[in-house]
Amino acid sequence: MQFAIAQKITCPQVLIQKHLIRLLSVVLPNLKSEDTPCLLSIDLFHVLVGAVLAFPSLYWDDTVDLQPSSISSSYNHLYLFHLITMAHMLQILLTIDTDIPLAQVQEESEEARSASSFLAEVSQYTSGCIGCGVPGWYLWVSLKNGITPYLRCAALFFHYLLGVTPPEELLTNPAEGEYSALCSYLSLPTNLFLLFQEYWDTVRPLLQRWCADPALLNCLKQKSTIVRYPRKRNSLIELPDDYSCLLNQASHFRCPRSADDERKHPVLCLFCGAILCSQNICCQEIVNGEEVGACIFHALHCGAGVCIFLKIRECRVVLVEGKARGCAYPAPYLDEYGETDPGLKRGNPLHLSRERYRKLHLVWQQHCIIEEIARSQETNQMLFGFNWQLL
């Protein structure tokens, strides 16, 4: 709530309301609109956070200082959370892996029967893109495993937003009874399908709209593109143990826009594995009327402006943020003495240090790239002379 009030001061009211409408269009889709997002392409926890924090903007008025009461705020949080949770349940069930281990056969519980009944209902809306022959116990186990990470994130979010103390079960032994404790803390029934029964008259038309989305149906047909839940944690690309493998890879690199390969500086993106031609005018692009190098242009599309690159022929890691900020970072390759070789001046054989690479991974995963760049620029003023925009 405090963050929402701060938003009112720093952002125009109309802008936040438009942002909220855009978020709600994910779970309240308008199929007549061309830019309605597909349910399977959305991270619904991010939708939950944005919608909860922006929802008080509906109470704002230019002439009257209105604020939602504590009671109305509680109901707003509850209904938004229930709606987005039901949408996430549908995500999991539509993308379930149907390769069932034959050895795992379990008795049908109440939750399993509810899962079978719900999937049979949903299959009517998907034009046969999903079958309803999956055992109920398997549906329930898959749903429970898939939704638990979302419930953990939601519990942390509402704990820090509202200050409500979590149950003792989550603090002492989270492995046992975690799911039941999370449901209790978040005001959810342990049989999550009871949510659909409680709101069935409202949710049934939404189910039909979600499942009738052409983009969703096309995604279900192309099973190779489906995201499974729980999602796998993102990680940096795998690097070879021997640095000479990267040097051989760089020696075969050919710039797609130039035949002059002698002056090329191949750079490896550690996010996606793409090799780019950096610091050359042949691969420069125009962004908002400004010339940017291949790395900066790639970072805008690969990491929303933030990226990590490895200069292969120099054995240097580079962190970039935006068009004009960046810094050098120690490479994860060490020689037999445990030292890096920036510029490859010593020529000693280099091998991947898993510990160094893990630290670099944590810098990215914990959103510390911008912090590292700022710290580096404070301590090394010489880096201000480098034109990062043309990297």
Side-chain angles (χ1 to χ4, degrees):
M1 185 62 62
Q2 293 177 349
F3 180 80
I5 295 172
Q7 275 186 319
K8 182 178 180 181
I9 300 173
T10 58
C11 298
Q13 169 190 344
V14 175
L15 179 63
I16 298 177
Q17 290 175 344
K18 287 182 178 180
H19 176 63
L20 175 62
I21 292 172
R22 178 63 177 166
L23 288 173
L24 292 179
S25 70
V26 174
V27 289
L28 302 172
N30 179 10
L31 298 183
K32 295 181 180 179
S33 174
E34 295 182 357
D35 62 346
T36 298
C38 171
L39 184 66
L40 297 183
S41 65
I42 299 297
D43 185 340
L44 286 175
F45 174 69
H46 287 82
V47 174
L48 172 67
V49 172
V52 167
L53 295 180
F55 205 84
S57 67
L58 296 181
Y59 293 83
W60 299 344
D61 187 88
D62 291 333
T63 58
V64 182
D65 185 15
L66 296 175
Q67 293 294 334
S69 66
S70 57
I71 296 178
S72 62
S73 293
S74 299
Y75 278 107
N76 292 340
H77 296 159
L78 180 67
Y79 292 140
L80 280 172
F81 177 60
H82 282 179
L83 175 62
I84 295 172
T85 299
M86 287 186 283
H88 189 43
M89 290 173 62
L90 181 64
Q91 272 186 332
I92 296 171
L93 292 175
L94 289 178
T95 58
I96 193 172
D97 186 359
T98 55
D99 295 333
I100 308 169
L102 297 178
Q104 296 183 8
V105 178
Q106 301 180 15
E107 295 182 1
E108 296 288 309
S109 60
E110 178 186 351
E111 292 86 354
R113 290 189 291 272
S114 298
S116 296
S117 176
F118 177 76
L119 193 66
E121 180 76 25
V122 170
S123 64
Q124 302 176 17
Y125 308 141
T126 59
S127 304
C129 290
I130 61 169
C132 51
V134 183
W137 67 264
Y138 182 76
L139 292 173
W140 172 243
V141 169
S142 300
L143 175 68
K144 189 175 177 181
N145 292 337
I147 205 168
T148 299
Y150 163 83
L151 296 181
R152 289 194 201 106
C153 294
L156 286 170
F157 170 62
F158 283 114
H159 167 64
Y160 287 107
L161 180 69
L162 305 175
V164 179
T165 304
E168 193 67 25
E169 293 88 339
L170 292 179
L171 299 175
T172 55
N173 194 353
E176 297 180 8
E178 177 190 24
Y179 172 76
S180 299
L182 286 171
C183 289
S184 175
Y185 181 70
L186 295 168
S187 298
L188 291 172
T190 52
N191 181 0
L192 292 175
F193 293 99
L194 294 179
L195 283 177
F196 288 95
Q197 296 181 19
E198 181 179 355
Y199 302 109
W200 183 244
D201 292 339
T202 302
V203 173
R204 184 175 182 180
L206 283 178
L207 280 175
Q208 296 173 342
R209 285 158 64 183
W210 287 335
C211 296
D213 183 4
L216 182 143
L217 296 176
N218 184 57
C219 188
L220 290 177
K221 293 176 182 178
Q222 300 175 356
K223 294 186 180 296
S224 60
T225 62
I226 289 180
V227 175
R228 306 293 181 184
Y229 295 93
R231 291 186 174 185
K232 292 183 179 179
R233 179 180 297 180
N234 290 334
S235 62
L236 299 178
I237 65 170
E238 288 290 331
L239 291 176
D241 180 70
D242 193 337
Y243 195 73
S244 61
C245 295
L246 287 178
L247 291 175
N248 291 334
Q249 191 175 359
S251 67
H252 292 91
F253 173 74
R254 296 292 181 268
C255 174
R257 297 188 180 183
S258 173
D260 182 10
D261 297 318
E262 295 300 324
R263 297 185 296 105
K264 303 311 173 191
H265 304 278
V267 173
L268 176 67
C269 174
L270 297 185
F271 285 4
C272 67
I275 297 183
L276 310 167
C277 174
S278 73
Q279 296 177 249
N280 280 290
I281 61 173
C282 57
C283 292
Q284 288 180 0
E285 302 283 352
I286 303 297
V287 176
N288 297 329
E290 295 181 301
E291 288 186 345
V292 298
C295 291
I296 300 302
F297 183 77
H298 179 80
L300 293 173
H301 294 83
C302 185
V306 177
C307 207
I308 304 177
F309 297 102
L310 174 64
K311 289 187 172 185
I312 300 177
R313 289 180 178 166
E314 300 178 26
C315 195
R316 299 177 191 270
V317 167
V318 173
L319 312 180
V320 299
E321 184 265 324
K323 296 179 183 179
R325 298 183 68 202
C327 74
Y329 193 85
Y333 283 90
L334 306 177
D335 60 17
E336 60 181 331
Y337 305 105
E339 298 177 345
T340 59
D341 188 8
L344 300 178
K345 296 178 181 179
R346 293 195 297 270
N348 294 332
L350 299 173
H351 295 277
L352 181 66
S353 168
R354 298 291 175 182
E355 180 63 21
R356 288 257 186 150
Y357 200 41
R358 186 186 70 84
K359 289 181 179 179
L360 182 60
H361 175 80
L362 289 177
V363 168
W364 167 59
Q365 192 177 56
Q366 296 175 354
H367 307 283
C368 294
I369 293 179
I370 298 176
E371 181 181 342
E372 285 290 335
I373 294 173
R375 183 184 298 114
S376 176
Q377 291 185 344
E378 287 177 359
T379 57
N380 192 348
Q381 298 295 326
M382 293 178 63
L383 288 179
F384 281 107
F386 187 82
N387 191 351
W388 293 102
Q389 184 169 324
L390 299 180
L391 179 66

